[in-house]
Amino acid sequence: MLNFNINIPWNVVMIVVWVAVIAIGIIVEAQTSELVSIWFAISGAVAIVCAIAGLSIPIQVAIFSTLTLLLVICTRPLVKKLTKNTEVKTNADKLVGMIGVITKDVKDGERGSVKVEYQEWTAIAKNNQTFSEGTKVVISEIIGNKLVVERIEEIEIK
């Protein structure tokens, strides 16, 4: 009969646990862009130092938890502020505010067509407006796959 009685020191087990916490934190952070879990990885690194120093498991957990909480509280508002205005319009969103040309009449309550950026789109009018073919319009919003168009406001320069 084989007897596998292996005694692994608790600090070695905790080092493995903290390495796993760091790895999970880094993997989760790589999947997001908001600095959500990097604080767990940093705190895990400090906890490894505590495990190597021989501190007890409750003290390691307390240091890890406290440091994670402090890092989140101190840096999260800064991270939110720095990433607040980083919205990048992609795909059709970039069309909002652009000028298009009506290619099929757009009547109140009916669909027409507008050409923007060399592409033809279904168009509907905003505020019960009507547009005939060849009219230049501005794209004010997108609803589903339809562009909402409205008159271009002309300003008088004195």
Side-chain angles (χ1 to χ4, degrees):
M1 182 162 138
L2 297 172
N3 186 4
F4 293 103
N5 189 6
I6 301 172
N7 290 326
I8 300 173
W10 61 268
N11 61 338
V12 174
V13 172
M14 288 309 295
I15 291 170
V16 172
V17 168
W18 296 124
V19 167
V21 168
I22 292 170
I24 291 169
I26 291 171
I27 290 169
V28 170
E29 190 60 45
Q31 301 299 317
T32 64
S33 62
E34 300 244 347
L35 293 176
V36 175
S37 62
I38 194 69
W39 318 127
F40 294 102
I42 293 169
S43 299
V46 172
I48 286 177
V49 172
C50 294
I52 291 170
L55 297 177
S56 69
I57 294 173
I59 291 176
Q60 290 176 42
V61 172
I63 290 173
F64 171 81
S65 302
T66 304
L67 184 56
T68 300
L69 184 62
L70 284 173
L71 286 171
V72 169
I73 289 172
C74 293
T75 58
R76 189 72 179 141
L78 176 64
V79 169
K80 280 189 156 263
K81 188 175 184 179
L82 292 175
T83 60
K84 186 177 184 179
N85 296 323
T86 58
E87 180 182 336
V88 176
K89 292 186 177 183
T90 59
N91 299 331
D93 292 337
K94 71 179 181 177
L95 298 176
V96 175
M98 289 187 157
I99 305 295
V101 177
I102 298 295
T103 56
K104 180 182 173 194
D105 290 353
V106 179
K107 298 177 182 171
D108 183 23
E110 295 181 22
R111 296 178 184 180
S113 296
V114 62
K115 191 171 191 174
V116 186
E117 291 279 298
Y118 308 104
Q119 290 185 331
E120 192 96 13
W121 290 83
T122 301
I124 56 176
K126 187 172 187 173
N127 300 329
N128 304 323
Q129 297 175 349
T130 301
F131 302 103
S132 58
E133 188 175 329
T135 306
K136 289 187 178 182
V137 293
V138 65
I139 313 313
S140 62
E141 63 182 299
I142 300 173
I143 299 175
N145 63 347
K146 296 174 286 302
L147 301 183
V148 179
V149 297
E150 62 182 316
R151 291 201 196 291
I152 298 173
E153 294 293 325
E154 294 184 21
I155 58 171
E156 187 177 313
I157 300 175
K158 295 181 182 181

